[in-house]
mmCIF file of all heavy atoms in Angstrom:
data_model
loop_
_atom_site.group_PDB
_atom_site.id
_atom_site.type_symbol
_atom_site.label_atom_id
_atom_site.label_comp_id
_atom_site.label_asym_id
_atom_site.label_seq_id
_atom_site.Cartn_x
_atom_site.Cartn_y
_atom_site.Cartn_z
ATOM 1 N N SER A 1 0.812 -1.200 -0.008
ATOM 2 C CA SER A 1 0.000 -0.002 0.011
ATOM 3 C C SER A 1 0.842 1.258 0.001
ATOM 4 O O SER A 1 0.584 2.203 -0.718
ATOM 5 C CB SER A 1 -0.930 -0.025 1.213
ATOM 6 O OG SER A 1 -1.789 1.106 1.190
ATOM 7 N N GLY A 2 1.927 1.252 0.805
ATOM 8 C CA GLY A 2 2.812 2.392 0.811
ATOM 9 C C GLY A 2 3.462 2.640 -0.514
ATOM 10 O O GLY A 2 3.584 3.795 -0.981
ATOM 11 N N PHE A 3 3.870 1.565 -1.201
ATOM 12 C CA PHE A 3 4.487 1.691 -2.524
ATOM 13 C C PHE A 3 3.506 2.221 -3.541
ATOM 14 O O PHE A 3 3.838 3.120 -4.332
ATOM 15 C CB PHE A 3 5.016 0.372 -2.939
ATOM 16 C CG PHE A 3 5.591 0.357 -4.346
ATOM 17 C CD1 PHE A 3 6.782 1.013 -4.624
ATOM 18 C CD2 PHE A 3 4.913 -0.316 -5.353
ATOM 19 C CE1 PHE A 3 7.297 0.984 -5.927
ATOM 20 C CE2 PHE A 3 5.420 -0.326 -6.668
ATOM 21 C CZ PHE A 3 6.587 0.347 -6.948
ATOM 22 N N LEU A 4 2.279 1.679 -3.572
ATOM 23 C CA LEU A 4 1.327 2.046 -4.631
ATOM 24 C C LEU A 4 0.589 3.352 -4.307
ATOM 25 O O LEU A 4 0.518 4.249 -5.147
ATOM 26 C CB LEU A 4 0.291 0.906 -4.799
ATOM 27 C CG LEU A 4 0.836 -0.416 -5.307
ATOM 28 C CD1 LEU A 4 -0.290 -1.441 -5.364
ATOM 29 C CD2 LEU A 4 1.463 -0.225 -6.696
ATOM 30 N N ILE A 5 0.037 3.463 -3.092
ATOM 31 C CA ILE A 5 -0.790 4.612 -2.772
ATOM 32 C C ILE A 5 0.068 5.850 -2.460
ATOM 33 O O ILE A 5 -0.109 6.903 -3.035
ATOM 34 C CB ILE A 5 -1.743 4.329 -1.600
ATOM 35 C CG1 ILE A 5 -2.513 3.011 -1.879
ATOM 36 C CG2 ILE A 5 -2.679 5.480 -1.415
ATOM 37 C CD1 ILE A 5 -3.284 3.030 -3.148
ATOM 38 N N THR A 6 1.038 5.677 -1.506
ATOM 39 C CA THR A 6 1.930 6.798 -1.236
ATOM 40 C C THR A 6 2.735 7.133 -2.477
ATOM 41 O O THR A 6 2.983 8.335 -2.768
ATOM 42 C CB THR A 6 2.881 6.451 -0.076
ATOM 43 O OG1 THR A 6 2.110 6.007 1.050
ATOM 44 C CG2 THR A 6 3.697 7.677 0.335
ATOM 45 N N GLY A 7 3.135 6.103 -3.246
ATOM 46 C CA GLY A 7 3.857 6.356 -4.472
ATOM 47 C C GLY A 7 3.039 7.212 -5.455
ATOM 48 O O GLY A 7 3.625 8.087 -6.137
ATOM 49 N N GLY A 8 1.766 6.957 -5.562
ATOM 50 C CA GLY A 8 0.926 7.770 -6.422
ATOM 51 C C GLY A 8 0.858 9.231 -5.958
ATOM 52 O O GLY A 8 0.900 10.145 -6.808
ATOM 53 N N LEU A 9 0.816 9.440 -4.675
ATOM 54 C CA LEU A 9 0.836 10.789 -4.129
ATOM 55 C C LEU A 9 2.188 11.463 -4.417
ATOM 56 O O LEU A 9 2.209 12.651 -4.732
ATOM 57 C CB LEU A 9 0.584 10.741 -2.613
ATOM 58 C CG LEU A 9 -0.800 10.379 -2.152
ATOM 59 C CD1 LEU A 9 -0.817 10.111 -0.647
ATOM 60 C CD2 LEU A 9 -1.837 11.430 -2.509
ATOM 61 N N VAL A 10 3.232 10.702 -4.304
ATOM 62 C CA VAL A 10 4.585 11.250 -4.599
ATOM 63 C C VAL A 10 4.646 11.691 -6.052
ATOM 64 O O VAL A 10 5.140 12.796 -6.362
ATOM 65 C CB VAL A 10 5.655 10.230 -4.275
ATOM 66 C CG1 VAL A 10 7.023 10.670 -4.851
ATOM 67 C CG2 VAL A 10 5.789 10.038 -2.738
ATOM 68 N N ARG A 11 4.208 10.825 -6.951
ATOM 69 C CA ARG A 11 4.268 11.186 -8.391
ATOM 70 C C ARG A 11 3.444 12.377 -8.731
ATOM 71 O O ARG A 11 3.875 13.259 -9.521
ATOM 72 C CB ARG A 11 3.861 9.971 -9.213
ATOM 73 C CG ARG A 11 4.944 8.875 -9.284
ATOM 74 C CD ARG A 11 4.547 7.756 -10.224
ATOM 75 N NE ARG A 11 3.466 6.932 -9.688
ATOM 76 C CZ ARG A 11 3.682 5.884 -8.891
ATOM 77 N NH1 ARG A 11 4.904 5.547 -8.562
ATOM 78 N NH2 ARG A 11 2.679 5.165 -8.434
ATOM 79 N N GLU A 12 2.241 12.479 -8.120
ATOM 80 C CA GLU A 12 1.403 13.685 -8.357
ATOM 81 C C GLU A 12 2.105 14.914 -7.800
ATOM 82 O O GLU A 12 2.086 16.006 -8.422
ATOM 83 C CB GLU A 12 0.040 13.485 -7.686
ATOM 84 C CG GLU A 12 -0.895 14.674 -7.899
ATOM 85 C CD GLU A 12 -2.218 14.512 -7.190
ATOM 86 O OE1 GLU A 12 -2.442 13.444 -6.605
ATOM 87 O OE2 GLU A 12 -3.023 15.469 -7.232
ATOM 88 N N SER A 13 2.716 14.794 -6.648
ATOM 89 C CA SER A 13 3.391 15.911 -6.034
ATOM 90 C C SER A 13 4.555 16.423 -6.908
ATOM 91 O O SER A 13 4.762 17.633 -7.075
ATOM 92 C CB SER A 13 3.948 15.541 -4.653
ATOM 93 O OG SER A 13 2.920 15.104 -3.808
ATOM 94 N N LEU A 14 5.354 15.479 -7.432
ATOM 95 C CA LEU A 14 6.486 15.881 -8.216
ATOM 96 C C LEU A 14 6.112 16.450 -9.578
ATOM 97 O O LEU A 14 6.781 17.311 -10.090
ATOM 98 C CB LEU A 14 7.403 14.672 -8.417
ATOM 99 C CG LEU A 14 8.065 14.065 -7.154
ATOM 100 C CD1 LEU A 14 8.916 12.897 -7.491
ATOM 101 C CD2 LEU A 14 8.911 15.153 -6.436
ATOM 102 N N SER A 15 5.005 15.956 -10.141
ATOM 103 C CA SER A 15 4.617 16.415 -11.460
ATOM 104 C C SER A 15 3.819 17.716 -11.464
ATOM 105 O O SER A 15 3.960 18.528 -12.370
ATOM 106 C CB SER A 15 3.821 15.350 -12.181
ATOM 107 O OG SER A 15 2.628 15.066 -11.457
ATOM 108 N N THR A 16 3.029 17.950 -10.415
ATOM 109 C CA THR A 16 2.149 19.121 -10.384
ATOM 110 C C THR A 16 2.502 20.145 -9.304
ATOM 111 O O THR A 16 2.049 21.296 -9.377
ATOM 112 C CB THR A 16 0.678 18.711 -10.189
ATOM 113 O OG1 THR A 16 0.504 18.165 -8.860
ATOM 114 C CG2 THR A 16 0.249 17.663 -11.250
ATOM 115 N N GLY A 17 3.231 19.680 -8.304
ATOM 116 C CA GLY A 17 3.612 20.577 -7.235
ATOM 117 C C GLY A 17 2.504 20.743 -6.192
ATOM 118 O O GLY A 17 2.593 21.576 -5.280
ATOM 119 N N ARG A 18 1.448 19.959 -6.325
ATOM 120 C CA ARG A 18 0.349 20.035 -5.352
ATOM 121 C C ARG A 18 -0.397 18.708 -5.302
ATOM 122 O O ARG A 18 -0.123 17.812 -6.127
ATOM 123 C CB ARG A 18 -0.639 21.148 -5.733
ATOM 124 C CG ARG A 18 -1.357 20.932 -7.059
ATOM 125 C CD ARG A 18 -2.129 22.146 -7.480
ATOM 126 N NE ARG A 18 -2.878 21.885 -8.686
ATOM 127 C CZ ARG A 18 -4.091 21.382 -8.762
ATOM 128 N NH1 ARG A 18 -4.737 21.049 -7.643
ATOM 129 N NH2 ARG A 18 -4.691 21.174 -9.937
ATOM 130 N N LEU A 19 -1.317 18.585 -4.356
ATOM 131 C CA LEU A 19 -2.126 17.407 -4.200
ATOM 132 C C LEU A 19 -3.596 17.751 -4.219
ATOM 133 O O LEU A 19 -4.008 18.709 -3.548
ATOM 134 C CB LEU A 19 -1.784 16.658 -2.895
ATOM 135 C CG LEU A 19 -0.404 15.966 -2.819
ATOM 136 C CD1 LEU A 19 -0.219 15.416 -1.435
ATOM 137 C CD2 LEU A 19 -0.334 14.818 -3.857
ATOM 138 N N THR A 20 -4.411 16.991 -4.963
ATOM 139 C CA THR A 20 -5.839 17.187 -4.907
ATOM 140 C C THR A 20 -6.424 16.234 -3.853
ATOM 141 O O THR A 20 -6.761 15.076 -4.124
ATOM 142 C CB THR A 20 -6.421 16.885 -6.294
ATOM 143 O OG1 THR A 20 -5.996 15.610 -6.739
ATOM 144 C CG2 THR A 20 -6.022 17.948 -7.326
ATOM 145 N N LEU A 21 -6.435 16.765 -2.613
ATOM 146 C CA LEU A 21 -6.811 15.934 -1.489
ATOM 147 C C LEU A 21 -8.219 15.350 -1.603
ATOM 148 O O LEU A 21 -8.477 14.189 -1.269
ATOM 149 C CB LEU A 21 -6.644 16.713 -0.180
ATOM 150 C CG LEU A 21 -5.267 17.225 0.140
ATOM 151 C CD1 LEU A 21 -5.212 17.961 1.453
ATOM 152 C CD2 LEU A 21 -4.262 16.074 0.123
ATOM 153 N N GLY A 22 -9.145 16.201 -2.045
ATOM 154 C CA GLY A 22 -10.553 15.755 -2.166
ATOM 155 C C GLY A 22 -10.677 14.579 -3.116
ATOM 156 O O GLY A 22 -11.350 13.597 -2.823
ATOM 157 N N ALA A 23 -10.003 14.670 -4.268
ATOM 158 C CA ALA A 23 -10.045 13.562 -5.218
ATOM 159 C C ALA A 23 -9.398 12.334 -4.690
ATOM 160 O O ALA A 23 -9.877 11.181 -4.899
ATOM 161 C CB ALA A 23 -9.337 14.012 -6.527
ATOM 162 N N PHE A 24 -8.273 12.482 -3.957
ATOM 163 C CA PHE A 24 -7.594 11.326 -3.372
ATOM 164 C C PHE A 24 -8.501 10.616 -2.373
ATOM 165 O O PHE A 24 -8.677 9.381 -2.470
ATOM 166 C CB PHE A 24 -6.312 11.742 -2.691
ATOM 167 C CG PHE A 24 -5.639 10.675 -1.911
ATOM 168 C CD1 PHE A 24 -4.967 9.602 -2.541
ATOM 169 C CD2 PHE A 24 -5.732 10.650 -0.524
ATOM 170 C CE1 PHE A 24 -4.380 8.623 -1.810
ATOM 171 C CE2 PHE A 24 -5.166 9.641 0.224
ATOM 172 C CZ PHE A 24 -4.456 8.625 -0.452
ATOM 173 N N TRP A 25 -9.084 11.359 -1.436
ATOM 174 C CA TRP A 25 -9.912 10.722 -0.419
ATOM 175 C C TRP A 25 -11.183 10.168 -1.051
ATOM 176 O O TRP A 25 -11.710 9.142 -0.592
ATOM 177 C CB TRP A 25 -10.219 11.729 0.672
ATOM 178 C CG TRP A 25 -9.031 12.007 1.570
ATOM 179 C CD1 TRP A 25 -8.067 11.109 1.937
ATOM 180 C CD2 TRP A 25 -8.655 13.232 2.149
ATOM 181 N NE1 TRP A 25 -7.124 11.673 2.741
ATOM 182 C CE2 TRP A 25 -7.457 13.005 2.881
ATOM 183 C CE3 TRP A 25 -9.193 14.517 2.127
ATOM 184 C CZ2 TRP A 25 -6.806 14.034 3.581
ATOM 185 C CZ3 TRP A 25 -8.546 15.513 2.827
ATOM 186 C CH2 TRP A 25 -7.376 15.272 3.552
ATOM 187 N N SER A 26 -11.704 10.788 -2.115
ATOM 188 C CA SER A 26 -12.860 10.277 -2.785
ATOM 189 C C SER A 26 -12.587 8.901 -3.386
ATOM 190 O O SER A 26 -13.407 7.971 -3.314
ATOM 191 C CB SER A 26 -13.278 11.243 -3.894
ATOM 192 O OG SER A 26 -14.355 10.698 -4.665
ATOM 193 N N ARG A 27 -11.390 8.773 -3.995
ATOM 194 C CA ARG A 27 -11.016 7.464 -4.559
ATOM 195 C C ARG A 27 -10.892 6.413 -3.461
ATOM 196 O O ARG A 27 -11.296 5.266 -3.649
ATOM 197 C CB ARG A 27 -9.690 7.581 -5.304
ATOM 198 C CG ARG A 27 -9.775 8.377 -6.597
ATOM 199 C CD ARG A 27 -8.511 8.183 -7.449
ATOM 200 N NE ARG A 27 -7.322 8.656 -6.784
ATOM 201 C CZ ARG A 27 -6.850 9.896 -6.842
ATOM 202 N NH1 ARG A 27 -7.506 10.791 -7.546
ATOM 203 N NH2 ARG A 27 -5.730 10.244 -6.236
ATOM 204 N N ARG A 28 -10.364 6.805 -2.333
ATOM 205 C CA ARG A 28 -10.215 5.865 -1.217
ATOM 206 C C ARG A 28 -11.561 5.399 -0.735
ATOM 207 O O ARG A 28 -11.769 4.205 -0.423
ATOM 208 C CB ARG A 28 -9.441 6.505 -0.069
ATOM 209 C CG ARG A 28 -8.034 6.926 -0.373
ATOM 210 C CD ARG A 28 -7.118 5.763 -0.690
ATOM 211 N NE ARG A 28 -6.941 4.875 0.481
ATOM 212 C CZ ARG A 28 -6.354 3.701 0.442
ATOM 213 N NH1 ARG A 28 -5.924 3.206 -0.699
ATOM 214 N NH2 ARG A 28 -6.199 2.989 1.523
ATOM 215 N N ILE A 29 -12.524 6.316 -0.610
ATOM 216 C CA ILE A 29 -13.830 5.971 -0.162
ATOM 217 C C ILE A 29 -14.508 4.986 -1.129
ATOM 218 O O ILE A 29 -15.106 3.964 -0.723
ATOM 219 C CB ILE A 29 -14.729 7.209 0.015
ATOM 220 C CG1 ILE A 29 -14.231 8.052 1.208
ATOM 221 C CG2 ILE A 29 -16.185 6.864 0.199
ATOM 222 C CD1 ILE A 29 -14.898 9.399 1.324
ATOM 223 N N ARG A 30 -14.434 5.298 -2.415
ATOM 224 C CA ARG A 30 -15.065 4.434 -3.434
ATOM 225 C C ARG A 30 -14.431 3.039 -3.446
ATOM 226 O O ARG A 30 -15.117 2.052 -3.698
ATOM 227 C CB ARG A 30 -14.963 5.051 -4.818
ATOM 228 C CG ARG A 30 -15.796 6.310 -5.004
ATOM 229 C CD ARG A 30 -16.063 6.595 -6.468
ATOM 230 N NE ARG A 30 -14.846 6.590 -7.307
ATOM 231 C CZ ARG A 30 -14.112 7.653 -7.528
ATOM 232 N NH1 ARG A 30 -14.418 8.840 -6.953
ATOM 233 N NH2 ARG A 30 -13.008 7.610 -8.288
ATOM 234 N N ARG A 31 -13.125 2.976 -3.198
ATOM 235 C CA ARG A 31 -12.426 1.706 -3.229
ATOM 236 C C ARG A 31 -12.730 0.841 -2.033
ATOM 237 O O ARG A 31 -12.926 -0.367 -2.185
ATOM 238 C CB ARG A 31 -10.904 1.967 -3.313
ATOM 239 C CG ARG A 31 -10.335 1.867 -4.678
ATOM 240 C CD ARG A 31 -10.334 0.455 -5.146
ATOM 241 N NE ARG A 31 -9.516 -0.408 -4.322
ATOM 242 C CZ ARG A 31 -9.975 -1.278 -3.479
ATOM 243 N NH1 ARG A 31 -11.255 -1.518 -3.368
ATOM 244 N NH2 ARG A 31 -9.147 -2.040 -2.773
ATOM 245 N N LEU A 32 -12.755 1.415 -0.853
ATOM 246 C CA LEU A 32 -12.712 0.620 0.358
ATOM 247 C C LEU A 32 -14.046 0.529 1.097
ATOM 248 O O LEU A 32 -14.378 -0.535 1.635
ATOM 249 C CB LEU A 32 -11.662 1.191 1.335
ATOM 250 C CG LEU A 32 -10.209 1.209 0.821
ATOM 251 C CD1 LEU A 32 -9.307 1.835 1.869
ATOM 252 C CD2 LEU A 32 -9.746 -0.197 0.459
ATOM 253 N N LEU A 33 -14.799 1.606 1.111
ATOM 254 C CA LEU A 33 -15.964 1.645 2.000
ATOM 255 C C LEU A 33 -17.118 0.702 1.574
ATOM 256 O O LEU A 33 -17.650 0.066 2.482
ATOM 257 C CB LEU A 33 -16.488 3.095 2.082
ATOM 258 C CG LEU A 33 -17.340 3.395 3.271
ATOM 259 C CD1 LEU A 33 -16.630 3.130 4.580
ATOM 260 C CD2 LEU A 33 -17.786 4.852 3.238
ATOM 261 N N PRO A 34 -17.505 0.624 0.319
ATOM 262 C CA PRO A 34 -18.669 -0.230 -0.015
ATOM 263 C C PRO A 34 -18.542 -1.663 0.475
ATOM 264 O O PRO A 34 -19.445 -2.176 1.138
ATOM 265 C CB PRO A 34 -18.770 -0.108 -1.540
ATOM 266 C CG PRO A 34 -18.150 1.182 -1.864
ATOM 267 C CD PRO A 34 -17.015 1.346 -0.884
ATOM 268 N N SER A 35 -17.436 -2.311 0.123
ATOM 269 C CA SER A 35 -17.242 -3.711 0.508
ATOM 270 C C SER A 35 -17.159 -3.825 2.013
ATOM 271 O O SER A 35 -17.708 -4.798 2.617
ATOM 272 C CB SER A 35 -15.975 -4.256 -0.127
ATOM 273 O OG SER A 35 -16.091 -4.238 -1.531
ATOM 274 N N ALA A 36 -16.448 -2.907 2.650
ATOM 275 C CA ALA A 36 -16.310 -2.984 4.121
ATOM 276 C C ALA A 36 -17.645 -2.866 4.823
ATOM 277 O O ALA A 36 -17.925 -3.625 5.769
ATOM 278 C CB ALA A 36 -15.366 -1.874 4.591
ATOM 279 N N LEU A 37 -18.481 -1.923 4.365
ATOM 280 C CA LEU A 37 -19.783 -1.749 5.014
ATOM 281 C C LEU A 37 -20.724 -2.924 4.794
ATOM 282 O O LEU A 37 -21.532 -3.253 5.662
ATOM 283 C CB LEU A 37 -20.425 -0.447 4.510
ATOM 284 C CG LEU A 37 -19.717 0.848 4.953
ATOM 285 C CD1 LEU A 37 -20.471 2.067 4.454
ATOM 286 C CD2 LEU A 37 -19.582 0.889 6.482
ATOM 287 N N ILE A 38 -20.610 -3.568 3.648
ATOM 288 C CA ILE A 38 -21.424 -4.762 3.395
ATOM 289 C C ILE A 38 -21.064 -5.859 4.363
ATOM 290 O O ILE A 38 -21.912 -6.532 4.967
ATOM 291 C CB ILE A 38 -21.280 -5.223 1.924
ATOM 292 C CG1 ILE A 38 -22.073 -4.316 1.003
ATOM 293 C CG2 ILE A 38 -21.718 -6.697 1.779
ATOM 294 C CD1 ILE A 38 -21.947 -4.654 -0.442
ATOM 295 N N VAL A 39 -19.750 -6.080 4.542
ATOM 296 C CA VAL A 39 -19.295 -7.100 5.471
ATOM 297 C C VAL A 39 -19.680 -6.748 6.902
ATOM 298 O O VAL A 39 -20.131 -7.610 7.698
ATOM 299 C CB VAL A 39 -17.756 -7.297 5.361
ATOM 300 C CG1 VAL A 39 -17.255 -8.226 6.466
ATOM 301 C CG2 VAL A 39 -17.418 -7.824 3.984
ATOM 302 N N LEU A 40 -19.591 -5.466 7.274
ATOM 303 C CA LEU A 40 -19.954 -5.068 8.624
ATOM 304 C C LEU A 40 -21.447 -5.198 8.841
ATOM 305 O O LEU A 40 -21.901 -5.637 9.942
ATOM 306 C CB LEU A 40 -19.523 -3.598 8.836
ATOM 307 C CG LEU A 40 -18.045 -3.330 8.948
ATOM 308 C CD1 LEU A 40 -17.739 -1.866 9.077
ATOM 309 C CD2 LEU A 40 -17.473 -4.095 10.186
ATOM 310 N N ALA A 41 -22.270 -4.885 7.859
ATOM 311 C CA ALA A 41 -23.723 -5.050 7.989
ATOM 312 C C ALA A 41 -24.064 -6.516 8.139
ATOM 313 O O ALA A 41 -24.902 -6.897 8.980
ATOM 314 C CB ALA A 41 -24.450 -4.433 6.805
ATOM 315 N N ALA A 42 -23.430 -7.372 7.322
ATOM 316 C CA ALA A 42 -23.686 -8.838 7.436
ATOM 317 C C ALA A 42 -23.210 -9.322 8.777
ATOM 318 O O ALA A 42 -23.890 -10.203 9.394
ATOM 319 C CB ALA A 42 -22.935 -9.549 6.344
ATOM 320 N N THR A 43 -22.112 -8.805 9.293
ATOM 321 C CA THR A 43 -21.611 -9.229 10.600
ATOM 322 C C THR A 43 -22.591 -8.815 11.717
ATOM 323 O O THR A 43 -22.783 -9.578 12.648
ATOM 324 C CB THR A 43 -20.242 -8.591 10.851
ATOM 325 O OG1 THR A 43 -19.311 -9.039 9.827
ATOM 326 C CG2 THR A 43 -19.684 -9.028 12.209
#
């Protein structure tokens, strides 16, 4: 995760000089939350 996710942040930082935090966290939510909440609801 550090290599892929932090690495993606590093590449964006080096190429643009900034980070789009909202877009990054939005991607994280779409990736992780739906499956996790389904498992938690079933649990």
Side-chain angles (χ1 to χ4, degrees):
S1 184
F3 174 72
L4 295 177
I5 309 303
T6 307
L9 290 170
V10 167
R11 284 186 288 273
E12 181 182 355
S13 301
L14 295 179
S15 62
T16 67
R18 63 188 183 89
L19 289 174
T20 51
L21 299 182
F24 171 75
W25 288 324
S26 174
R27 290 192 299 270
R28 298 295 295 170
I29 291 172
R30 292 201 308 271
R31 260 292 296 110
L32 301 178
L33 199 58
S35 298
L37 291 182
I38 284 177
V39 173
L40 290 175
T43 300

